[in-house]
Amino acid sequence: MSQTRETQVLSVSIAAKKLPQDGMPIDFEANETERQRLAEALDLVSVQSFRAKLTARAWQRDGVRVTGDLKAVVEQTSVVTLEPLRRTYPITFDATYVPEGSKLARITRPDEHELHVDPEGDDPPETFVGDEIDLGPLMMEYLALALDPYPRAGEERFEAVDTDPEPEAGKVSPFAKLATLSSGRKDEE
């Protein structure tokens, strides 16, 4: 997700160097403009609130590990009634950042032609350039992954809709048209 700072939906920058020994607390609450951008980017009716309570700690030699919780209250459109639904998403945030070019950012490959991915393993570290890390894009990604792709209220169900123009005619075999075509050929012979 490469975006310039001006077009970026969320920007939450922290210093990557000289973090306190017990970690640096990060409290973030999206303002109205950021919530509108989030809603547009994620195709939501609205984002009522988006908060983060995170802690950044030094990791390995040059890396940073950021852990904590995100909480988003959003309005999504029901896939059944097309009415807005209010949903709350509590999200656990856990990300590791390393400087670009760090050996820790490389994925070890057992063979040159294969890429080994452990679905149960930790995610590879994110990379950063310079002395700052922008948590915004990854926070947005965590929210996007948490969203219900088919939101609906608990009691909402799809109901069968009869689209048959002649319901009294009975069920017609899908091969009925083929039968009329083949009988027409026999008459021509």
Side-chain angles (χ1 to χ4, degrees), residues 10-31:
L10 284 180
S11 182
V12 183
S13 294
I14 62 167
K17 307 289 182 196
K18 299 180 184 173
L19 291 170
Q21 187 70 21
D22 57 343
M24 180 179 76
I26 303 161
D27 289 328
F28 170 77
E29 185 170 352
N31 63 35

Side-chain angles (χ1 to χ4, degrees), residues 53-176:
K53 286 197 170 286
L54 308 172
T55 302
R57 290 185 172 83
W59 182 79
Q60 298 291 357
R61 198 173 70 133
D62 296 326
V64 176
R65 182 154 188 208
V66 182
T67 58
D69 297 307
L70 305 174
K71 183 177 180 184
V73 179
V74 304
E75 280 191 4
Q76 293 179 274
T77 303
S78 167
V79 295
V80 177
T81 63
L82 301 180
E83 296 293 322
L85 296 172
R86 188 178 179 127
R87 300 279 190 202
T88 301
Y89 291 100
I91 303 162
T92 301
F93 188 89
D94 187 353
T96 305
Y97 293 84
V98 294
E100 192 173 61
S102 170
K103 291 180 183 179
L104 297 170
R106 296 188 200 130
I107 297 174
T108 56
R109 297 181 181 173
D111 185 349
E112 217 175 282
H113 303 288
E114 294 180 16
L115 178 62
H116 176 72
V117 178
D118 181 5
E120 301 298 322
D122 292 333
D123 290 338
E126 301 288 325
T127 58
F128 67 93
V129 179
D131 294 336
E132 286 191 348
I133 298 172
D134 191 356
L135 304 174
L138 194 58
M139 288 168 51
M140 181 178 148
E141 187 176 317
Y142 268 69
L143 174 59
L145 291 170
L147 293 173
D148 183 353
Y150 305 105
R152 63 179 177 209
E155 69 280 352
E156 290 180 342
R157 300 282 181 255
F158 287 106
E159 294 180 16
V161 177
D162 187 9
T163 59
D164 189 357
E166 297 178 31
E168 308 305 322
K171 189 170 182 175
V172 179
S173 167
F175 300 105

Side-chain angles (χ1 to χ4, degrees), residues 173-188:
S173 167
F175 300 105
K177 186 69 174 174
L178 290 174
T180 60
L181 291 174
S182 66
S183 67
R185 285 190 177 170
K186 289 181 184 175
D187 294 341
E188 292 175 4

